[in-house]
Amino acid sequence: MTYQFARGELFGEGIERVAHEEIDTAITHLTARSGDAGLHVHEARKSLKKLRALIRLVRGHDKRKFQTNNQAFRSLAHALSQWREADVAHKTAQAFCARSRNKANIHRWRLICRALRPNHNGVLSSCKEMRRQSLPIVSAFNSAKRHLSIGKSKKKTNDFELIRQGVRAVHRQMLRDFQATKDGLSPDASHEWRKSTKYHWYHIRLLERAMPRVLKPYRLKLEKLGEILGEEHDLADLMAFIGNLHLSELTTADRTAIYRDIKDRRLKLRTRSLDLGETIARESTNALLNRLETYLIDWHEDAAA
């Protein structure tokens, strides 16, 4: 796992090192000459999410720079999303087909899978096509690498204050999004909860080596929650894709059965996510910050000894 601060590494230097590593990883995948184009795009998008989590650690120290970097990475994510979402919709439909047990339902899902197969609906057909379409995206990544910096005054510090505000903001947002999802205040609450959970998960990954015995189990809980929320989001996207399909073979009854499958699966995932969210939300933001600061101080003192 490379997305971590190293023992004895200054926080500022670690942030820039990890940022450059993730940009290089994204470029490597988008310029790949072999393999699954959809998987390469998926890995590049993961690097973008890691970058957006990383800059949130220091967002309070230079808000203008944060907005500039965040907007740049968000635009890149949007450019890649059309490929990934179409690919995920196809694979999610395949999973429903594999789980189906009656012939009528298998037939319905096979029709959906066929309509969402590669070479349709924006799914990339090859690495060659991916490289061609990714040229401006790769150029933007290279530009981001040249200009990404947290500033010399903050680069040479091990002070927890450098990242405290960023960790606090993301954790508090995660708790608010959980409560909003639990209360059913907004149809988008679950989507926002997924994003803030992912950012917090990445923050814990960065810091995990300071106290792996304690932080690894916590990180794994966040990872599981992110997977559940991610699947629920994929189902919402699949519903939208199916709604835009014009298939004469699908009757109204067929569509009703398909939507019922998706709704039932989403309800099961929602129950699991709220149960897990309850366990994660038991710790306050201040308690978490106090723990992390203690772990990191001890970790750096041991490294210096």
Side-chain angles (χ1 to χ4, degrees), residues 10-161:
L10 302 175
F11 283 137
E13 290 181 344
I15 289 170
E16 286 199 6
R17 172 186 61 80
V18 174
H20 289 173
E21 287 175 355
E22 291 305 326
I23 290 173
D24 288 342
T25 297
I27 291 173
T28 297
H29 281 289
L30 293 176
T31 56
R33 295 186 171 276
S34 62
D36 183 335
L39 182 58
H40 285 306
V41 170
H42 175 55
E43 293 300 323
R45 290 188 74 207
K46 280 169 59 177
S47 287
L48 272 169
K49 291 173 184 177
K50 292 177 185 177
L51 285 163
R52 294 184 72 187
L54 195 66
I55 62 175
R56 275 164 171 73
L57 277 179
V58 290
R59 65 185 297 176
H61 296 279
D62 192 335
K63 292 184 179 179
R64 181 177 296 179
K65 180 168 286 187
F66 166 77
Q67 292 293 346
T68 299
N69 288 327
N70 191 50
Q71 180 59 47
F73 292 141
R74 184 165 52 197
S75 297
L76 289 173
H78 180 73
L80 294 173
S81 65
Q82 59 178 338
W83 302 333
R84 181 59 187 166
E85 287 169 3
D87 187 52
V88 169
H90 178 242
K91 290 175 179 175
T92 305
Q94 286 181 314
F96 272 106
C97 190
R99 286 196 296 264
S100 295
R101 290 294 175 264
N102 69 72
K103 291 183 179 180
N105 227 27
I106 291 173
H107 175 69
R108 295 179 187 116
W109 279 110
R110 281 178 176 170
L111 289 174
I112 297 297
C113 290
R114 192 177 305 133
L116 294 174
R117 69 188 184 277
N119 300 318
H120 290 69
N121 296 292
V123 178
L124 287 171
S125 58
S126 67
C127 285
K128 182 178 180 180
E129 179 66 13
M130 175 187 69
R131 292 197 309 275
R132 185 183 69 79
Q133 294 195 41
S134 294
L135 286 174
I137 300 174
V138 170
S139 177
F141 267 121
N142 281 316
S143 177
K145 187 176 181 180
R146 288 193 298 271
H147 296 103
L148 189 65
S149 172
I150 65 167
K152 291 182 179 179
S153 63
K154 299 178 182 65
K155 190 173 180 180
K156 298 291 186 180
T157 181
N158 258 350
D159 193 345
F160 185 67
E161 292 304 314

Side-chain angles (χ1 to χ4, degrees), residues 207-221:
L207 303 171
E208 184 179 324
R209 286 180 180 171
M211 183 59 76
R213 178 177 58 82
V214 177
L215 292 180
K216 181 177 180 180
Y218 179 56
R219 189 255 303 166
L220 291 175
K221 277 187 180 181

